[in-house]
Amino acid sequence: MSPPLWIAAWALLLHGCAAGRAPQAPSTRNDIRDCSADPPYLPPTATNTTARLAVLRGILRTHGIHAYIVPSTDAHMSEYISKRDARLGWLTGFTGSAGTAVVTWDKATLWTDSRYWTQAERELDCNWELQRTTSIESIATWILEVVPAEGNVSLDPFLFSIDTWNSYSRALHGSSQTLLPLETNLVDQAWGDQRPPPSSSEIYSLPAEFTGSSWQEKVAGIRQQMEQHVRRPTAVLLSGLEETAWLFNLRGDDIPYNPVFYSYTLLTNTTISLFVEESRLSAEARQSLRSGCPGPLCVELKEYGQVSAHLRHYAQGNVTVWLGTEYTTYGLYAIIPQEKLLEESYSPVMMSKAVKNTHEQEMLRATHVRDAVAVIQFLLWLEKTVPQGQVDEFSGAQRIDAFRWAQEHSRGPSFQSISASGLNAALAHYSPSNGSSRTLSAREMYLFDTGGQYLDGTTDVTRTVHWGEPTPLQKEAYTRVLMGNIDLARLIFPSNTAGRTVESFARRALWDVGLNYGHGTGHGIGNFLSVHEWPVGFQYNNVPLEAGMFTSIEPGYYRDGEFGIRIEDIALVVEAQTEHQSGEKPFLTFEVVSLVPYDRNLIDLGLLSPEQIRYLNSYYERIRAHVGPELRRQRLEEEYAWLQESTEPFPVSSAGTAAPGTLALASLLSVLLSELGA
Amino acid sequence: MSPPLWIAAWALLLHGCAAGRAPQAPSTRNDIRDCSADPPYLPPTATNTTARLAVLRGILRTHGIHAYIVPSTDAHMSEYISKRDARLGWLTGFTGSAGTAVVTWDKATLWTDSRYWTQAERELDCNWELQRTTSIESIATWILEVVPAEGNVSLDPFLFSIDTWNSYSRALHGSSQTLLPLETNLVDQAWGDQRPPPSSSEIYSLPAEFTGSSWQEKVAGIRQQMEQHVRRPTAVLLSGLEETAWLFNLRGDDIPYNPVFYSYTLLTNTTISLFVEESRLSAEARQSLRSGCPGPLCVELKEYGQVSAHLRHYAQGNVTVWLGTEYTTYGLYAIIPQEKLLEESYSPVMMSKAVKNTHEQEMLRATHVRDAVAVIQFLLWLEKTVPQGQVDEFSGAQRIDAFRWAQEHSRGPSFQSISASGLNAALAHYSPSNGSSRTLSAREMYLFDTGGQYLDGTTDVTRTVHWGEPTPLQKEAYTRVLMGNIDLARLIFPSNTAGRTVESFARRALWDVGLNYGHGTGHGIGNFLSVHEWPVGFQYNNVPLEAGMFTSIEPGYYRDGEFGIRIEDIALVVEAQTEHQSGEKPFLTFEVVSLVPYDRNLIDLGLLSPEQIRYLNSYYERIRAHVGPELRRQRLEEEYAWLQESTEPFPVSSAGTAAPGTLALASLLSVLLSELGA
């Protein structure tokens, strides 16, 4: 799955002009919701928010608050959220994954990025203005304009990152307005008993065979890092849901696609406090956590809601609390006095989790073999079914999900399947819905970006295919995206290199002819955890690459209104075998663990260099060696035959760059052969 | 010239172990200066600093100061400094370009980076400790240990950048010690009348033919940027010496190799104040500056030393002062109240100067043609003279300088020539001295990194040559450095791409076999200004690349104790011709303006791809087209013949990557030919 756009300036440059001003709009509002009509025109796709806004405004007045900021995140800065946390969606009707709303006594505005402008126009009702940016500066400027002097601007500090809080605070600094953190969430008050209840499903221990090490070993490792740190922290605070899930080898299903559960952990040098709904723990899980009691490996179970109070109490002592500032909320952060904080971008748990040990690597490799079987089944099924015109984007997505469910250890998709035909694929994050879904056709390209959760690992793979006659541009663009994927995958680089300094290798083949893509190039991935796992990747805020990390590699190319291409594989960072050695650590390279062939119909071999073709052939050999036997074991003989055909080695001599010299010799040869009378 | 190491973690990783602990050192001091002997052993290369330290300590006691921090920079954060500003050198005896000294009542310590450890050991006397790091944290930790509680730590705030001040301030925060900025410089007091006097040489106007636009046009352009800026600044403060020199088209010679003069400028929306020693201005310069008086284009001349007072007065008004935080001193910065500051990394003058207009580009191209003549003369001279064994590094440097001086518009070298034979070239910044200079030999590699100042431009070029039989490793490493240079130079990339995201292309050919280099990949360069011109380059703190910028491209490879390779060219960022167009601006690429052939003797053609060879051939064609006629015009016929020979096109068919396919065909061909009886 392509990494969150988190609004690279690029994305805005590329898409900034896509959603134009509707020329017929009589008001200053540049969207399709005509509010000057009487009664106002409301698209059938919009939600009527008049009543809920009235309730919220009543609450604002009671509290003397003039503007209330509502974000799209939850208290753990999760990328996916539960329905209970979908406050922005409930309040606005807008169901996109990223946005910010601000409600005043007489105005309501939503800010979102270019991915969601069309969707927001369809889903917002007449009460809402849409602002086509997400810059906090823009939000703050708007607030400064509409909120009266001396007014109160408020938000729930447990739903904002430290950075975001600071940005608002800076932007309003010097104005006469006050930024007021309010621990009670006012949207929740307005939502009342209509708000979905908290999850009550079981939280379970992962069987030992699916864990990299026991939770006791993990705790010991983190405590060792605390002791070795120059600041000698006395505790680590974990607020990322995957941090606690990973540390204790526990899983739940509180959030769609992510096997995590609501929790916090305060791990001190002598105690362990796990903040979670105790009754939800399986008997086995509870027993495992309590097996070391009393003692330093005893997990004390505390109410989820008690974390603030407990932390406040703990912070009164002679302590130093280590936390990851990238994903801790301002609410928690502000509880700890500045001089007792050890701030790093990511906690030691996040950093440890990112480097998979040998067993975790083996599990992820094995997961990808089974996942490849499902994807190959899907590709063969499409090849046979699409020409009959009975597959659409939605049924296609259902089918790939079903193929995955049938694989061993499957726990369903790892994110909502992206299944996009023709021009729909030009929207990098398009997902089909049942009602409006394009029929797949041999005359169009089809892009599917899907992944699975398995007890032994998480997968994420994108392939783009064409069953008919691609245009020259489609073929060139596909080949160049593939060249980028290959160039980055086969790169050898020094240990400790930041992803951002090498990600351009995935773009160069496109850049050569003036093309590019507007999203990031990759993201980390978990062992039966998040499909976007921080802090690995190629963005500016990712950590340097180390052996044992997994990342996606996913260049693409998108042509508005025409087609979209993305080729995504998961790759493991491994030590490289180099002729020479320099520096203190071996150089690194990638081992691609996604094992699905690319579409031969879309590859223009003449563009590839001999090295790229040789790399491709050796990759295909690995696919045959690993996936072939599994297909046979599962008695998928037709798929096996399809795989053999799809992974036939490419002739190296057809490489484009070798052409001039080789061609000259070849034509001379043919002259000679004819002279020989051959 | 290679960019300042500014201590990339890389450099420390690579060289961190080079200077080991001397095993015989009886004390904790890990250097060769044996202070336990009686009398202490003092290397003949060291300076006796006992007396000057005694004077400084007397002054410290008088002021109640317990530790005084002395940096290596001047009040303009210049990279090169005048003798009058060489406070660190005078106080310590250490003549390296980067370091920090701290003197307490009974201790004196110097911090410097790995480039200078050996030199510091030789130059420091017994009074000094050497610390092999430059981290401010390390300096602060040392201060916290040796300075008594409640002690005063002091420094001259006009010699520290904002960042450096903040780092000291943070590091000492929470301790009982006070960080005390003192406007009087205590080293200057100690230095007394032995301190070199200020420069009195003439400051002159550049003839109009050598300027990109008039100073009035430049001022108008900056004022326009002030008006268009959202913060509506009322003034721009210029403290970088090349800012004022560029803005007014003035030059001087206060600093070796850099044609600048001590000055500050405060450019407001209605006035222009130039702080400079008025008597030093040529009549013509004064007339030009005063030609618009009275009026908004009248330059008011004020004493150089009046800048603080004037700024303090100006900052009392309803003003906003725009400045570049990367190079403004904390002393000036602190004068302006926080809310009246518009802080950006670089001032609009620095940003405008970085993008050369058409005339400036043409001048730099022309400069490089004449500069190439000098370098080619040198290469031919070396080829003829080195085998006789009578050239050493020092006389070589003198010779290239002389060849440059002979070229039209020459104003001498643009930095101290780097001329390094054999193992000396493994030190990336080695410069020879008259006494200790290695003889050049056909058995060793020779690296020279030199440049010239000309009225129409500044140059900087590095070539590495071998007149005998290079080892396979030397040839491979040289070829891979060249491949890196070519790969970056021929890269096509989107407008507004940061240099740091593409600099890895200069490293990949080395990375492929486990090699690398420990310095940056390039830096901006001026029009008869600094050889290292901010803010262009490939480091993290450089600005995105734009058409019209010039940067060096200079990968290298260094093998301790054996040899060093660097290939450096200056390149202009130009618009690329691409098959497709995406984004709002055309894609970019480089046009290499240094026009000197590489050493054929060191190129292993088998490693190059056909594209790299084609690029090389087209570069050589450009060299012939531009430098050939100039050589003839200067009647340098032997050099002309040498150039023709050195720029013979390489056969593309010999490209390494084409080998397998081509070889198979070629051998088949030879069989057929023999059958034909040919």
Side-chain angles (χ1 to χ4, degrees), chain A residues 265-544:
Chain A
T265 298
L266 186 71
L267 169 64
T268 78
N269 38 15
T270 52
T271 64
I272 312 171
S273 301
L274 170 56
F275 301 86
V276 69
E277 191 66 43
E278 184 174 349
S279 62
R280 293 178 56 200
L281 289 165
S282 71
E284 200 190 349
R286 204 168 327 182
Q287 200 197 326
S288 162
L289 297 172
R290 307 286 302 165
S291 60
C293 298
L297 284 174
C298 167
V299 180
E300 290 161 45
L301 297 167
K302 298 192 155 60
E303 284 297 303
Y304 173 74
Q306 287 303 303
V307 65
S308 296
H310 185 89
L311 188 61
R312 194 167 284 117
H313 180 76
Y314 181 75
Q316 288 169 4
N318 181 20
V319 299
T320 300
V321 182
W322 194 356
L323 51 76
T325 51
E326 286 277 329
Y327 50 90
T328 302
T329 60
Y330 179 76
L332 277 185
Y333 170 85
I335 289 174
I336 308 161
Q338 195 62 38
E339 69 276 11
K340 296 181 180 180
L341 274 169
L342 168 51
E343 299 178 45
E344 291 186 357
S345 297
Y346 304 97
S347 78
V349 168
M350 213 65 144
M351 296 298 285
S352 301
K353 179 162 62 64
V355 180
K356 273 66 172 169
N357 67 22
T358 313
H359 184 53
E360 289 164 331
Q361 293 175 24
E362 279 315 315
M363 286 194 290
L364 269 165
R365 280 198 187 92
T367 307
H368 277 87
V369 171
R370 298 195 311 281
D371 197 67
V373 169
V375 179
I376 286 166
Q377 284 181 286
F378 182 55
L379 281 166
L380 176 59
W381 177 83
L382 287 171
E383 208 172 289
K384 294 198 292 188
T385 325
V386 166
Q388 298 156 29
Q390 282 164 359
V391 186
D392 64 20
E393 295 166 332
F394 191 74
S395 64
Q398 286 181 315
R399 180 60 66 140
I400 176 72
D401 292 353
F403 280 128
R404 281 211 171 81
W405 270 113
Q407 289 298 318
E408 198 179 4
H409 305 320
S410 174
R411 286 297 180 272
S414 57
F415 56 95
Q416 189 182 357
S417 291
I418 293 172
S419 165
S421 184
L423 56 88
N424 283 341
L427 307 167
H429 287 76
Y430 172 85
S431 290
S433 59
N434 205 352
S436 62
S437 177
R438 195 173 179 88
T439 302
L440 273 54
S441 149
R443 290 188 308 278
E444 289 193 334
M445 283 177 117
Y446 172 62
L447 181 160
F448 64 103
D449 180 352
T450 62
Q453 289 289 7
Y454 303 85
L455 285 174
D456 47 355
T458 305
T459 67
D460 181 4
V461 62
T462 308
R463 288 294 179 266
T464 307
V465 286
H466 197 305
W467 302 279
E469 198 63 56
T471 67
L473 176 62
Q474 288 172 338
K475 208 162 163 175
E476 176 175 11
Y478 181 90
T479 306
R480 290 186 179 278
V481 170
L482 177 60
M483 288 159 78
N485 183 305
I486 291 173
D487 284 350
L488 183 51
R490 60 188 285 271
L491 186 72
I492 293 170
F493 52 93
S495 177
N496 222 36
T497 295
R500 67 175 177 278
T501 67
V502 297
E503 77 112 38
S504 299
F505 287 98
R507 298 180 188 267
R508 193 191 41 175
L510 288 163
W511 285 357
D512 267 348
V513 292
L515 305 179
N516 200 0
Y517 53 93
H519 55 69
T521 296
H523 55 80
I525 192 164
N527 277 85
F528 189 33
L529 271 175
S530 298
V531 69
H532 287 161
E533 186 174 276
W534 286 94
V536 175
F538 299 98
Q539 320 268 25
Y540 78 94
N541 50 355
N542 291 128
V543 298

Side-chain angles (χ1 to χ4, degrees), chain A residues 10 12-14 17 137 230 473 476 480 487 490-497 500-505 508 510-516 540 557 559 577-584 587 609-611 614 652-653 657-658 660-663 665-666 668-669 672-673 675-676, chain B residues 10 12-14 17 137 230 473 476 480 487 490-497 500-505 508 510-516 540 557 559 577-584 587 610-611 614 652-653 656-658 660-663 665-666 668-669 672-673 675-676:
Chain A
W10 247 111
L12 294 173
L13 278 174
L14 279 178
C17 297
E137 207 167 293
V230 61
L473 176 62
E476 176 175 11
R480 290 186 179 278
D487 284 350
R490 60 188 285 271
L491 186 72
I492 293 170
F493 52 93
S495 177
N496 222 36
T497 295
R500 67 175 177 278
T501 67
V502 297
E503 77 112 38
S504 299
F505 287 98
R508 193 191 41 175
L510 288 163
W511 285 357
D512 267 348
V513 292
L515 305 179
N516 200 0
Y540 78 94
Y557 175 68
R559 200 157 174 100
Q577 307 298 322
T578 52
E579 199 183 320
H580 306 280
Q581 295 264 329
S582 61
E584 292 181 357
F587 276 38
S609 70
E611 290 87 350
R614 275 184 217 116
V652 174
S653 62
T657 52
T662 314
L663 278 180
L665 275 176
L668 178 53
L669 192 60
L672 286 169
L673 284 169
E675 284 200 24
L676 272 170
Chain B
W10 246 111
L12 295 172
L13 279 173
L14 280 178
C17 298
E137 210 167 290
V230 62
L473 176 63
E476 176 175 10
R480 292 185 178 279
D487 284 351
R490 59 188 285 270
L491 186 74
I492 292 170
F493 52 93
S495 178
N496 222 35
T497 296
R500 66 173 179 279
T501 68
V502 297
E503 75 112 37
S504 299
F505 287 97
R508 194 194 38 179
L510 287 163
W511 285 358
D512 267 348
V513 292
L515 305 180
N516 202 358
Y540 79 93
Y557 175 68
R559 200 158 174 100
Q577 306 299 323
T578 53
E579 199 182 321
H580 307 282
Q581 293 264 330
S582 61
E584 292 179 0
F587 276 40
E611 290 87 348
R614 275 187 217 114
V652 175
S653 62
T657 51
T662 314
L663 278 180
L665 275 176
L668 179 50
L669 191 62
L672 285 170
L673 283 170
E675 283 198 25
L676 272 170

Side-chain angles (χ1 to χ4, degrees), chain A residues 132-148:
Chain A
R132 292 177 170 79
T133 165
T134 54
S135 94
I136 289 176
E137 207 167 293
S138 147
I139 302 175
T141 305
W142 186 91
I143 290 173
L144 287 171
E145 270 169 25
V146 304
V147 171

Side-chain angles (χ1 to χ4, degrees), chain B residues 20 163 194 199 208 220-221 247 255 268 312 382 412 419 441 471 474 500 533 564 577 616 635 637:
Chain B
D163 250 13
Q194 298 301 302
S199 174
L247 184 65
I255 289 190
T268 79
R312 194 168 284 117
L382 286 171
S419 165
S441 147
T471 67
Q474 287 173 338
R500 66 173 179 279
E533 186 175 272
Q577 306 299 323
L616 205 48
R635 305 190 188 284
E637 292 303 330

